Amino acid sequence: MAMSDRGLLEEEEGRGEPFVFRAVKIAGVVALYWFVSITMVFLNNYLLDSKELDAPLFVTFFQCVVSVCLCWVMYALSTFWPACVDFPSIKVDLKVCREVLPLSVVFISMITFNNLCLKNVGVAFYTVGRSLSTVFNVLFSYVILKQTTSFYALLCCGVILGGFWLGVDQEGAAGSLSWSGVFFGVLASACVSLNAIYTKKVMPVVDGNIWKLSYYNNLNACFLFLPLIFVFGELGSLASFSRLGDLSFWGMMVVGGVFGFAIGYVTGLQIKFTSPLTHNVSGTAKACAQTVLAVAYYATSKSVLWWTSNMMVLGGSFAYTWVKGLEMKKAPPPRDSSETREKLLKGESGV
């Protein structure tokens, strides 16, 4: 099931295949990415929106535990069936855990603020609430990496900022604005950008393997979440939760963890069968579909300006991806294709 980094860097398979067959295969991969990503957001919203259990940190912690367990399952499968499953060798290396720790702190901040944003704003406004990742990419690239950004890319960021503020204004006008949700969304966006920067720095520690990095990130997160759950008093919420012995509740929790793990796989799969640029465009289109589905599912009525804010955010994100793609084509060829992949992914809209 899992792919190695070597698999991600291979040339597109099946160049000699009939066009229709290739098109169907690519459409299937994109559809799988959309299904996993959208389902994960709705499922997390269901788990976090429980009136009985107010324990977002515990929900996130449990998903990290599931991810660690699945890494061991995939490693075991790759050991017994190496021809079918390609997964790196993993173990508990304290030295690696320590070197990955700074990234893990950013990682748990990112997933925690993501879930807190989703819990407070819901699925419909989640795209706008979490839309500033691209803006923070530009900001942190300049402050931390001393990299400048083109004028046209900055214009795209301006459109995204305008859409964000218009969306906040329209949520307030509708009486459904959660300032805490907006605050968590901004923090989540900042952490997504920091996570991309720190990931590049830490990759050599795990031999450049994204699956090994995911394993150590989630392993560290399991231990980092424990004191936070205690400090924020979620143990009391768990003790008084009436469905603590309900297998259906734990089943949904496990499924949420599985989808959280699967999103890494389907993201890599989509990049392999298309390109990093196409992946970013697909992610933007997915966010649009996700918003429409949320509005329809929860039967809410939104104003024209509210929809305009979403179109501004998504249009700005798409335009930014397009501009960065053009700039990459004009730039001198990088040392290897992985560098191109990293630069394009760094400009991902994050929506």
Side-chain angles (χ1 to χ4, degrees):
M1 174 181 174
M3 295 182 300
S4 65
D5 295 327
R6 172 178 51 79
L8 287 175
L9 299 176
E10 288 176 350
E11 294 292 326
E12 182 181 345
E13 296 178 352
R15 288 184 181 274
E17 294 175 350
F19 172 77
V20 174
F21 183 75
R22 285 177 54 209
V24 170
K25 186 161 42 173
I26 291 172
V29 169
V30 172
L32 179 63
Y33 168 77
W34 280 40
F35 170 75
V36 172
S37 183
I38 293 175
T39 303
M40 183 183 69
V41 171
F42 275 90
L43 186 56
N44 279 343
N45 184 66
Y46 168 79
L47 292 170
L48 294 164
D49 200 34
S50 172
K51 303 301 180 184
E52 290 185 70
L53 180 63
D54 185 19
L57 292 176
F58 173 76
V59 172
T60 312
F61 158 77
F62 188 85
Q63 292 178 344
C64 290
V65 172
V66 172
S67 292
V68 171
C69 293
L70 286 173
C71 283
W72 280 105
V73 169
M74 295 305 300
Y75 172 55
L77 291 175
S78 69
T79 302
F80 289 106
W81 294 285
C84 301
V85 181
D86 186 10
F87 201 81
S89 173
I90 56 174
K91 60 181 179 179
V92 180
D93 188 326
L94 295 181
K95 183 176 182 293
V96 175
C97 286
R98 186 170 60 252
E99 293 185 17
V100 174
L101 186 59
L103 173 63
S104 298
V105 173
V106 176
F107 172 72
I108 68 166
S109 300
M110 178 184 71
I111 58 178
T112 299
F113 291 138
N114 264 334
N115 282 346
L116 287 172
C117 174
L118 182 59
K119 175 181 173 66
N120 285 276
V121 305
V123 180
F125 191 64
Y126 181 64
T127 296
V128 174
R130 269 268 290 98
S131 62
L132 299 184
S133 296
T134 300
V135 178
F136 280 112
N137 275 343
V138 172
L139 177 63
F140 290 145
S141 292
Y142 179 75
V143 173
I144 299 175
L145 303 177
K146 308 303 180 185
Q147 295 177 354
T148 57
T149 304
S150 69
F151 174 73
Y152 290 110
L154 289 175
L155 277 181
C156 297
C157 290
V159 174
I160 295 171
L161 275 170
F164 174 80
W165 285 116
L166 180 60
V168 170
D169 176 73
Q170 289 304 297
E171 281 287 297
S176 55
L177 178 65
S178 167
W179 279 110
S180 60
V182 172
F183 176 69
F184 290 132
V186 172
L187 289 179
S189 299
C191 289
V192 168
S193 301
L194 285 173
N195 187 72
I197 292 172
Y198 278 98
T199 294
K200 187 174 182 179
K201 292 183 177 181
V202 172
M203 283 300 278
V205 177
V206 291
D207 305 319
N209 192 290
I210 195 67
W211 288 111
K212 197 177 285 189
L213 179 63
S214 175
Y215 165 71
Y216 279 104
N217 248 342
N218 282 283
L219 183 64
N220 281 344
C222 291
F223 292 99
L224 291 172
F225 270 122
L226 291 176
L228 293 176
I229 291 171
F230 177 77
V231 168
F232 285 93
E234 292 193 359
L235 290 177
S237 299
L238 287 169
S240 60
F241 184 46
S242 61
R243 296 181 60 196
L244 205 58
D246 189 347
L247 291 179
S248 63
F249 166 75
W250 291 108
M252 291 293 287
M253 290 280 282
V254 171
V255 171
V258 170
F259 271 87
F261 179 81
I263 191 64
Y265 169 72
V266 295
T267 297
L269 194 67
Q270 180 170 247
I271 293 171
K272 178 184 177 182
F273 279 89
T274 58
S275 69
L277 181 63
T278 305
H279 165 68
N280 291 341
V281 173
S282 174
T284 302
K286 185 274 304 181
C288 181
Q290 180 177 287
T291 301
V292 173
L293 283 173
V295 172
Y297 180 77
Y298 294 108
T300 53
S301 178
K302 301 295 183 182
S303 67
V304 173
L305 285 177
W306 187 92
W307 285 108
T308 301
S309 72
N310 276 266
M311 292 302 103
M312 287 177 66
V313 165
L314 294 170
S317 300
F318 173 81
Y320 179 87
T321 300
W322 181 65
V323 167
K324 296 302 285 186
L326 290 178
E327 291 175 358
M328 289 296 297
K329 287 181 180 178
K330 293 178 182 178
R335 288 187 301 272
D336 55 53
S337 58
S338 62
E339 187 174 335
T340 304
R341 188 183 308 282
E342 285 175 359
K343 287 183 178 180
L344 279 169
L345 284 176
K346 190 167 174 285
E348 187 173 352
S349 61
V351 295

